[in-house]
Amino acid sequence: NLLGVAFNGPSSAFAVGQSGVILHWDGTSWSEDPQSISLTQSQLGAVAFAADGEGWAVGANGTILHYDGRRWSIEAPPPTESGENISSVAVAGSEAFAVAGGNLIEHGPGGGWEVLEESLLPSNPKPAPRHLRLVAGLPDGGVIAAGRSIMLVREAAGHSFEYAEQPLSGVAVALAPFREAGGKLRAYVSVAPPVSELSGEVAGFPPGDGELLRQSESGWQDLSRSQYAGNAIAGDGAVKSDPVLAVATDQSGEHAWAAGGYDGTEDAAD
């Protein structure tokens, strides 16, 4: 299975997935990268690139792969996050961020990965540890991180993270930032209910739920317009909207694309 894809140029892209697989698109066709599964056999779940083609792929067991425009190499997470699942990575301007073990880390000026300084996070109250799942950025330096009933926003490079103006309920399974006409950083986010009140995980792999929301000045807009039928089709489970598991948008948020799965089976999330 392929779990992440990103462009590193006008006619070049990489996709990553299970067992450390890396595929490359050269503008015409896909082929397996020469370093695929040789650097790691851990699952790779996300990949992101800067405008100059530099990028990172991340995944299970603390895996971070760096792409310098020609070759991939292994990088280490912060010691406190060694062996943790790195669930997301993003490039924002000249900076890179990732979510390791539910915590936000950054690619430091010295070239290594560091836990984000507490002074750059909200202080009243402090974000609960290990609650983040996703991070996404814009070329202008804006960053959004989301997870279990939390969304953090950094409006621009050099700014600190703040809580989103509108609270987020549920677990984020897809995230895409945009900047509205007035310059405010907003997001599309797909949310799913947790397995239990004590768990930050969602049911199923891929998740069986994911309702698409769009942030606006007046609050969250429910784009999925979920209407639960209150009954079930014999042998096929409850009737409800298909989950949105990935979303991408242009920088203005006026145009967006969403992809997902089928939610009408008996083993889908309730």
Side-chain angles (χ1 to χ4, degrees), residues 17-115:
Q18 289 183 321
S19 303
V21 68
I22 305 173
L23 302 183
H24 179 238
W25 183 66
D26 61 6
T28 302
S29 61
W30 288 93
S31 61
E32 191 165 9
D33 187 89
Q35 294 178 280
S36 175
I37 74 172
S38 65
L39 293 176
T40 181
Q41 283 77 55
S42 294
Q43 176 175 289
L44 296 173
V47 60
F49 292 96
D52 62 2
E54 181 183 19
W56 290 266
V58 300
N61 305 312
T63 302
I64 302 177
L65 302 183
H66 173 245
Y67 188 72
D68 63 5
R70 295 181 302 168
R71 293 180 56 81
W72 294 93
S73 60
I74 297 174
E75 292 188 344
T80 55
E81 308 301 334
S82 178
E84 296 285 355
N85 179 47
I86 304 182
S87 56
S88 184
V89 64
V91 176
S94 61
E95 301 170 279
F97 298 84
V99 176
N103 299 318
L104 202 56
I105 64 174
E106 64 175 339
H107 195 252
W113 288 89
E114 306 168 352
V115 175

Side-chain angles (χ1 to χ4, degrees), residues 155-214:
E155 282 289 340
H159 290 211
S160 297
F161 284 86
E162 303 291 343
Y163 290 111
E165 294 176 355
Q166 295 92 3
L168 185 69
S169 179
V171 180
V173 296
L175 178 68
F178 65 91
R179 201 171 289 281
E180 63 182 11
K184 194 74 174 177
L185 189 60
R186 303 292 191 189
Y188 287 86
V189 60
S190 182
V191 295
V195 173
S196 69
E197 292 298 322
L198 300 178
S199 170
E201 296 304 313
V202 294
F205 182 81
D209 286 297
E211 297 179 9
L212 186 61
L213 308 176
R214 184 184 191 275

